[in-house]
Amino acid sequence: MTTSNFLATIDSESKAAILDNIAAHYGITAQQAYDEVTDEEAEHLLDYVTGSCRAATSALMQKYKFN
C-alpha cells in the first residue's frame, strides 16, 4: 500500500524513472515492475531500485514522508 501511495504522490517523470530503473534491472516492462512493487507481498521499494536512482528515490520518500 505504501509503495502505490508513494508512486501516486510523486511526479510522473520520477515515477517513470523509478519503474524504468527496476524494469531494466530485472529485464521486465515498466508495467510489470509496477505490478511487482505494489503487490501486497512486495519487499520495500528501495530493495528493487539500483544505482543513483536508489538514492534519489530514498530522498523523494523522505521528502514526502514515506520513509
Side-chain angles (χ1 to χ4, degrees), residues 1 3 7 10 17 23 26 30 34 45 50 58 60:
M1 180 67 116
T3 297
L7 292 173
I10 61 176
Y26 289 99
Y34 178 83
L45 179 61
T50 62
S58 178
L60 277 175

Side-chain angles (χ1 to χ4, degrees), residues 15-16 19-20 22-24 28-37:
K15 178 181 174 181
L19 294 175
D20 288 346
I22 296 166
I28 58 177
T29 67
Q31 181 60 53
Q32 289 171 318
Y34 178 83
D35 293 343
E36 175 67 27
V37 300

Side-chain angles (χ1 to χ4, degrees), residues 6-55:
F6 170 69
L7 292 173
T9 300
I10 61 176
D11 63 274
S12 60
E13 287 181 20
S14 296
K15 178 181 174 181
I18 292 166
L19 294 175
D20 288 346
N21 174 277
I22 296 166
H25 181 72
Y26 289 99
I28 58 177
T29 67
Q31 181 60 53
Q32 289 171 318
Y34 178 83
D35 293 343
E36 175 67 27
V37 300
T38 58
D39 185 87
E40 68 179 45
E41 295 182 17
E43 301 295 328
H44 190 280
L45 179 61
L46 293 178
D47 290 342
Y48 297 94
V49 184
T50 62
S52 61
C53 188
R54 188 169 196 262

